[in-house]
Amino acid sequence: MDDITFTNTRFDPDLVAFHGIAKEMAKSVGYTADMSVDAKLAQLLRLRVAQMNACSYCLILHTKAAHDQGIHSAKVAHLASWPESTMFSPAEQVALAYCEGLTDYDLAGFPPLHQAMTDHFSDTEIAEIA
């Protein structure tokens, strides 16, 4: 992959105070990256949202983060087809469906997705995933 060149056509968060502002906003509401939900699952969800939003910057960032966290490359490659894949556990499948429901803002279909989460995750984990 070293021969691939990526040019960010959106904005460069390092050229503005974006990271600092984001850290301050997160700090102001008590959020930290130390969560009770599984870190690999959280990273898969971030990557799936990046796929759904078709954000090249986010895809590069979260694909690298998934690799750095030791998520198998086949799982990353098959993430977009997770409903048809056998690589994802039932908990991961429920979390991915929930994540997609939130990202698509599907109000009608959301209550069953939220209910399914309670079979696999605590209230704190559900809040962190959201």
Side-chain angles (χ1 to χ4, degrees):
M1 277 183 55
D2 292 334
D3 61 337
I4 294 175
T5 303
F6 171 72
T7 302
N8 183 8
T9 60
R10 292 186 178 202
F11 77 102
D12 185 345
D14 295 323
L15 296 179
V16 295
F18 180 81
H19 286 138
I21 292 168
K23 286 178 186 176
E24 284 304 310
M25 288 173 60
K27 185 177 166 185
S28 72
V29 295
Y31 173 80
T32 69
D34 299 322
M35 299 185 293
S36 56
V37 72
D38 179 73
K40 288 182 179 182
L41 173 61
Q43 189 55 47
L44 283 174
L45 297 176
R46 290 182 196 106
L47 181 55
R48 183 65 190 126
V49 170
Q51 289 174 340
M52 293 177 70
N53 290 329
C55 173
S56 291
Y57 171 81
C58 301
L59 285 165
I60 296 287
L61 175 78
H62 293 300
T63 299
K64 182 180 180 331
H67 172 75
D68 291 349
Q69 286 189 8
I71 298 172
H72 197 283
S73 61
K75 211 168 198 178
V76 171
H78 289 265
L79 184 57
S81 66
W82 70 265
E84 298 177 12
S85 176
T86 59
M87 289 184 211
F88 299 90
S89 72
E92 289 170 329
Q93 292 173 356
V94 167
L96 285 161
Y98 186 75
C99 167
E100 289 186 3
L102 284 170
T103 304
D104 284 338
Y105 199 64
D106 178 12
L107 293 178
F110 190 72
L113 296 174
H114 185 81
Q115 184 57 42
M117 290 286 285
T118 63
D119 292 338
H120 298 277
F121 301 99
S122 70
D123 288 345
T124 299
E125 290 171 322
I126 293 170
E128 291 172 350
I129 288 169

